Amino acid sequence: MIHNYLHVFIPIFALIINICAHILLFRFISRIGLLIAVIISFFIGFFCLIAFECYVFFSVSQYTMGLIYLFTANGIIYSLLGYLYFQFVNLGETARRIRIMRELYSSKDGLSMEEILKRYNAKEIIGRRINRLVRANQVKCKNNKYYIKGMPFILFLSKTIVTMKLILLGKRSEFD
Amino acid sequence: MGDIMVVLFWGLGIYLLSFILHLLIWKIKLPKKQTRALIIIFSGTFIFCLVILSSILSLSGCYSEFIPGRFLEFLHISLFFISLTLAYIITYSGVEVDSPALVMVMIIKKYGLDGIDKKELEEIITDDLLIKPRVEDLLFDRMAYMEGEKYKLTPKGVLFASIFRFYRRLINAPKGG
């Protein structure tokens, strides 16, 4: 009976392996990017999930259902947990609120709006984002002008998010 | 229907029910604190459904293939539902506010193949669009408060900031943003 509980917790074990692998990869392989490290560690966790599932299922489980169903449910749970971890990493990397909170955290007496803007501002955000977009080949740059050709992934994603905004919020932007 | 199909069926079923309820409430009136409202809707629906399911089981006393009968199945359904819900809520935060990359991409696309230079982008996308609303969000969510002219973190804000600070230090990453 106790072995059946292992099936429930396997996605959590796999997630822990995913997180540990990501921390080790990013910390000790200097050339590796944050996103690449997230992708590699996700697959390391996924591989462990398959291995754990097979081991528990064939050796100790009394679960009455087939391995395929079990793997489907736990595969979905692990993928969702992996996505959550990716979003957590992404928040630390790109979220403005987190960056502002970190600036406030590092200042004992607090910061005025002017001081916040000296440390973190729209100019810095645009500079970082545009470099990332150009490096990832999502936006082209010619004669210091930025343009988009075709339908790169980021444009597809932006359009999807705008559609979701229209469905859920009834507007295209938070400023509408 | 076997154990795992019960997990998939009820996990997805309760999620869909919560999602429909969320859509209906959003159409009637958009809550001020949207993330909090989502957590209340999804967790409320989930608890309600679990209570109904266990009541059916204890009242009828008979086992049905469609109804989870063991604690293990309830646990598995809970994990499935919670993962799905958290994934949705974290994605929703990207829908709630405009991301800078999204705004930039839509503006660049609008300028077509003629393109737009960095200076023009900086004139359109200002601190009023990117920074000030997020500082206001911190006040609204009680992550920060004002003391005179200064913004300071509340204990809740300090907790959030330290979690991310600790993690960024652990992976040896710069400040980000």
Side-chain angles (χ1 to χ4, degrees), chain A:
Chain A
M1 180 64 189
I2 193 77
H3 296 122
N4 284 335
Y5 282 87
L6 281 174
H7 281 302
V8 180
F9 292 108
I10 281 173
I12 296 170
F13 296 144
L15 175 73
I16 293 168
I17 289 168
N18 174 353
I19 294 170
C20 293
H22 177 246
I23 291 168
L24 291 173
L25 276 173
F26 190 70
R27 207 178 157 91
F28 296 111
I29 305 177
S30 54
R31 281 191 340 210
I32 207 163
L34 198 62
L35 184 66
I36 300 291
V38 169
I39 294 168
I40 294 172
S41 52
F42 174 82
F43 282 106
I44 291 172
F46 200 75
F47 182 75
C48 291
L49 177 95
I50 298 171
F52 283 148
E53 286 290 358
C54 291
Y55 173 73
V56 174
F57 187 83
F58 289 115
S59 60
V60 288
S61 175
Q62 293 159 13
Y63 230 107
T64 51
M65 264 321 287
L67 182 63
I68 298 293
Y69 286 137
L70 194 58
F71 183 72
T72 306
N74 281 348
I76 294 171
I77 293 171
Y78 171 72
S79 303
L80 291 166
L81 294 174
Y83 172 73
L84 278 173
Y85 178 65
F86 163 71
Q87 286 291 359
F88 173 76
V89 173
N90 197 36
L91 276 179
E93 185 69 10
T94 62
R96 287 161 289 165
R97 270 179 282 199
I98 303 294
R99 171 64 192 269
I100 296 165
M101 278 202 286
R102 289 198 61 184
E103 294 297 346
L104 293 175
Y105 184 88
S106 61
S107 167
K108 266 187 181 173
D109 301 323
L111 295 169
S112 66
M113 182 60 86
E114 210 170 68
E115 287 166 329
I116 292 173
L117 294 176
K118 262 185 200 165
R119 291 167 180 234
Y120 186 53
N121 51 50
K123 222 173 171 179
E124 181 188 333
I125 294 173
I126 293 169
R128 277 187 190 204
R129 301 299 195 278
I130 203 81
N131 286 340
R132 269 186 215 149
L133 290 169
V134 172
R135 268 205 313 268
N137 214 18
Q138 300 294 304
V139 168
K140 308 270 179 200
C141 181
K142 198 177 174 185
N143 303 326
N144 289 326
K145 292 254 186 184
Y146 298 98
Y147 67 97
I148 290 174
K149 204 174 175 186
M151 179 66 97
F153 179 70
I154 189 77
L155 183 63
F156 170 75
L157 195 67
S158 302
K159 287 189 172 180
T160 308
I161 291 173
V162 170
T163 309
M164 281 175 76
K165 275 176 187 283
L166 281 169
I167 294 168
L168 290 168
L169 308 173
K171 54 187 185 179
R172 297 175 70 89
S173 156
E174 65 176 303
F175 300 105
D176 281 354

Side-chain angles (χ1 to χ4, degrees), chain B residues 10-31:
Chain B
W10 286 105
L12 275 175
I14 300 171
Y15 174 80
L16 281 177
L17 190 66
S18 316
F19 187 77
I20 291 167
L21 198 62
H22 142 59
L23 276 185
L24 285 174
I25 292 170
W26 257 236
K27 290 293 162 199
I28 296 165
K29 193 175 190 280
L30 200 63

Side-chain angles (χ1 to χ4, degrees), chain B residues 30-96:
Chain B
L30 200 63
K32 276 186 181 170
K33 292 195 173 185
Q34 295 174 31
T35 306
R36 183 186 279 187
L38 281 177
I39 292 169
I40 292 169
I41 292 166
F42 279 79
S43 55
T45 312
F46 182 63
I47 292 165
F48 177 76
C49 288
L50 284 195
V51 169
I52 295 289
L53 278 175
S54 51
S55 304
I56 291 172
L57 198 72
S58 60
L59 285 175
S60 66
C62 59
Y63 176 77
S64 161
E65 274 194 330
F66 286 98
I67 297 170
R70 294 185 296 170
F71 174 71
L72 183 71
E73 287 164 350
F74 279 107
L75 195 69
H76 216 160
I77 292 170
S78 305
L79 185 63
F80 187 88
F81 178 83
I82 291 167
S83 311
L84 201 54
T85 300
L86 289 177
Y88 178 69
I89 290 174
I90 208 158
T91 306
Y92 184 85
S93 65
V95 174
E96 194 181 356

Side-chain angles (χ1 to χ4, degrees), chain B residues 44-153:
Chain B
T45 312
F46 182 63
I47 292 165
F48 177 76
C49 288
L50 284 195
V51 169
I52 295 289
L53 278 175
S54 51
S55 304
I56 291 172
L57 198 72
S58 60
L59 285 175
S60 66
C62 59
Y63 176 77
S64 161
E65 274 194 330
F66 286 98
I67 297 170
R70 294 185 296 170
F71 174 71
L72 183 71
E73 287 164 350
F74 279 107
L75 195 69
H76 216 160
I77 292 170
S78 305
L79 185 63
F80 187 88
F81 178 83
I82 291 167
S83 311
L84 201 54
T85 300
L86 289 177
Y88 178 69
I89 290 174
I90 208 158
T91 306
Y92 184 85
S93 65
V95 174
E96 194 181 356
V97 298
D98 294 346
S99 94
L102 180 143
V103 175
M104 281 167 60
V105 165
M106 295 313 258
I107 291 172
I108 295 170
K109 181 67 185 168
K110 213 164 85 179
Y111 276 74
L113 292 177
D114 292 338
I116 177 170
D117 65 30
K118 207 170 166 183
K119 212 172 179 190
E120 284 175 290
L121 266 178
E122 285 169 0
E123 279 164 17
I124 300 169
I125 308 170
T126 59
D127 291 328
D128 289 341
L129 281 177
L130 294 187
I131 306 290
K132 289 176 184 173
R134 300 293 76 88
V135 177
E136 290 304 313
D137 285 348
L138 291 180
L139 293 178
F140 186 71
D141 291 333
R142 295 195 183 132
M143 296 278 195
Y145 65 99
M146 283 202 86
E147 201 177 272
E149 292 279 289
K150 303 268 189 181
Y151 292 88
K152 286 183 172 181
L153 288 180

